[in-house]
Structure formats: structure tokens, C-alpha cells
Amino acid sequence: MNGKGLSPEIPKMISEQLFVIVVAAIVVIVVAILLLDKNRHRIKRIILDRFNVSSKAGRRKPPEPEQPFTESETQVLTAEQSEAELERLQKLIEDRKQIARDTDISHHIWGLYKSLLRYTSPHSLDRYIQDGAWYDVKILRVSNKSGLNNLEFELKGAKYKFVDDEEKQGWRVSMKLFSLFLYDDSDRCLIEIPMKTHVHSEGRQYSISSDGPNAFLPGSWINDFINVKLKHQRIHNQEIREQKHQERLSEIKELKERYGIAD
């Protein structure tokens, strides 16, 4: 090499290196093509299996529909599956009970039942039948059979039935446990409310179990019963206020007469 330019051997060396690189690249490409062609069926099968695609249809398979849980399947559950299924059911039942607590439906049902029982004398029952729907409720029939109290009625045009087994249950010292049932016209139990009654010096006192209903089928009937119960409660409160008003008027009149006080 001199100070005026590159040695004539350098370009020759660069050309030889480039030639070697190009040849090597061509060899790699050819080998890759041969390997790919040799294994193309296996590669295709791997790709199809990965995407769950039928080799005939050439597209992704739709997911299999979830099969409904049938009664026959419950008979072949393993020990682990039955334990898991029971836990699942208990969680769903607790969710249902929480709906009952949030809507306070047990108290509304019991309150409506008590208010209807106040008007089930023969005279009142005749008035219900003659006047038709009363406060959106019409009592159809009241009966007692085998220790079960039955009250059949219509609420907003739909037929229902109250059943309580208080008379059928025995006493535990001064306490009795019983249930109040509500059935629809298909004889489905919409709700079973566990009840307690205690006897004390002033009579019987009723309370609803805090554990929630023993059976509960949520539906549109809940709002119907709550609305009717609230209407009954308002009317009952008006009746109480009117009764107290009349009692005060009688007391005022009596006191004026006793002490000779004029208006």
C-alpha cells in the first residue's frame, strides 16, 4: 500500500467474501425449502390442531354448547363433584335468601296474611265477594283441613293460596315453630316462611325466623305483593288513627260532662 491509493488486491478480497456470503445464503434458503416441503403436512396438522380447525372445513370449530344439568347426571357425580355441586347450590340459595332479605318480602307476606285474617268473618267475607276486588285483593275461600289453615284469594287478578300449619305443630314449652306457605294457582310454593310464636301474659307473639325462607321462587309476584301490602298498611294506619280519634272524642265528651265544662 502507498499513500496515493488502495492496493489492487483489496477489491479482489472483498469480491471473494461477498461471493462466499451469497453462496452460503442460497444454500440455507434451498435447505429450508427442502425441509419445509418435507414436513409441510406435519406443520399443517400442528397449525390446524392449535386453532382447533377441521382439516376438511379449513375453519375454526364453534364451541360445543353447554349441556343442561339433568337429574340423571346428578346420579353419576363423583364424591368430589357432589361436594362441589352442593357448595354451588348453597351459594345460589344464599343469594336467593339475600334477595328475600333485601326486599323484606317475608315481613310483607306475613303482614298481608294477618291483615286478611282480620276480615275473614262471615260478614266481611260476604262483603268481599259482593264488592269484588278490595284493596286489589279478593278473598275466595277460607278453610281448615287436617290442622292446615287455608286462605284462597285473588291479588291483582291472579289466584294464590296461603297455608299455615300452626295448629298442626306441637308446643315446645312456651314456643311453637311453624311455617307460612304461599302458593300460586299452579300449586307451586312461591315462599315458605319459618315462623315462631311465643306465649306470654298478654297472649301470643309472632316473629319471623332470621335464617330466611325455607323455599323461595323470585318473580314479578314480589312487587305485586309488596305494593298491595303497603296499600293495606296505609289503610290500616288510617283506620287506627280514626279509631283513636273517635276514642279521644268520647273521652273529651265524658270529661266535660263529669266536670261541667261547656264548649
Side-chain angles (χ1 to χ4, degrees):
M1 178 183 298
N2 53 41
K4 296 182 180 180
L6 298 175
S7 171
E9 297 180 356
I10 293 178
K12 181 179 180 181
M13 294 174 59
I14 295 175
S15 299
E16 292 176 352
Q17 292 176 355
L18 288 176
F19 177 78
V20 171
I21 292 173
V22 171
V23 171
I26 293 173
V27 171
V28 170
I29 294 173
V30 171
V31 171
I33 293 174
L34 292 175
L35 291 175
L36 182 63
D37 181 70
K38 181 179 180 180
N39 297 283
R40 66 181 185 277
H41 296 295
R42 185 172 63 87
I43 294 173
K44 179 181 179 181
R45 185 168 59 254
I46 293 174
I47 295 174
L48 293 177
D49 291 341
R50 178 180 294 272
F51 289 97
N52 194 25
V53 177
S54 170
S55 59
K56 181 181 295 186
R59 60 186 180 183
R60 187 186 298 271
K61 291 182 180 179
E64 294 294 331
E66 184 177 352
Q67 296 298 323
F69 198 79
T70 61
E71 183 178 357
S72 60
E73 292 175 347
T74 63
Q75 300 175 0
V76 296
L77 292 178
T78 65
E80 293 78 8
Q81 290 173 333
S82 63
E83 182 178 1
E85 177 65 9
L86 184 58
E87 291 179 358
R88 185 185 74 88
L89 288 176
Q90 289 173 342
K91 183 180 183 303
L92 292 176
I93 290 171
E94 184 56 36
D95 292 342
R96 292 283 177 93
K97 288 188 175 184
Q98 190 59 47
I99 294 175
R101 296 188 190 101
D102 293 341
T103 58
D104 209 19
I105 186 61
S106 295
H107 289 83
H108 287 297
I109 294 294
W110 172 245
L112 180 61
Y113 181 56
K114 289 192 301 181
S115 67
L116 293 182
L117 287 178
R118 286 198 299 267
Y119 299 97
T120 53
S121 66
H123 174 72
S124 298
L125 186 57
D126 290 341
R127 178 168 64 84
Y128 281 121
I129 296 175
Q130 292 174 4
D131 295 345
W134 176 82
Y135 302 165
D136 292 326
V137 175
K138 178 181 179 181
I139 296 179
L140 303 177
R141 189 163 65 99
V142 180
S143 62
N144 181 291
K145 184 177 180 181
S146 302
L148 298 176
N149 296 313
N150 292 266
L151 194 158
E152 300 177 27
F153 63 100
E154 286 185 5
L155 187 144
K156 292 191 173 181
K159 292 183 179 181
Y160 299 93
K161 177 176 65 176
F162 277 127
V163 177
D164 83 65
D165 60 357
E166 179 180 0
E167 296 182 12
K168 195 172 183 179
Q169 302 302 323
W171 288 96
R172 303 179 181 180
V173 188
S174 60
M175 181 185 70
K176 179 186 287 191
L177 302 177
F178 69 99
S179 290
L180 173 65
F181 305 85
L182 173 66
Y183 295 90
D184 62 9
D185 57 352
S186 299
D187 212 30
R188 293 186 310 159
C189 180
L190 300 179
I191 189 170
E192 177 189 348
I193 306 173
M195 302 290 305
K196 297 179 183 179
T197 178
H198 298 267
V199 177
H200 49 79
S201 58
E202 297 181 358
R204 295 188 181 185
Q205 180 180 6
Y206 293 89
S207 61
I208 299 174
S209 173
S210 60
D211 294 336
N214 293 334
F216 183 45
L217 300 180
S220 59
W221 64 270
I222 295 177
N223 287 333
D224 292 339
F225 273 79
I226 291 177
N227 292 334
V228 170
K229 169 57 178 62
L230 293 177
K231 183 182 294 186
H232 277 240
Q233 188 63 50
R234 287 195 298 269
I235 295 173
H236 182 56
N237 292 340
Q238 292 174 1
E239 292 174 349
I240 293 176
R241 288 194 295 268
E242 180 62 26
Q243 180 181 354
K244 291 183 176 180
H245 172 62
Q246 294 300 325
E247 292 174 353
R248 288 193 297 268
L249 291 178
S250 298
E251 184 179 3
I252 290 171
K253 180 180 179 181
E254 182 180 354
L255 290 174
K256 286 182 177 180
E257 291 176 351
R258 285 184 180 183
Y259 292 94
I261 301 176
D263 292 334

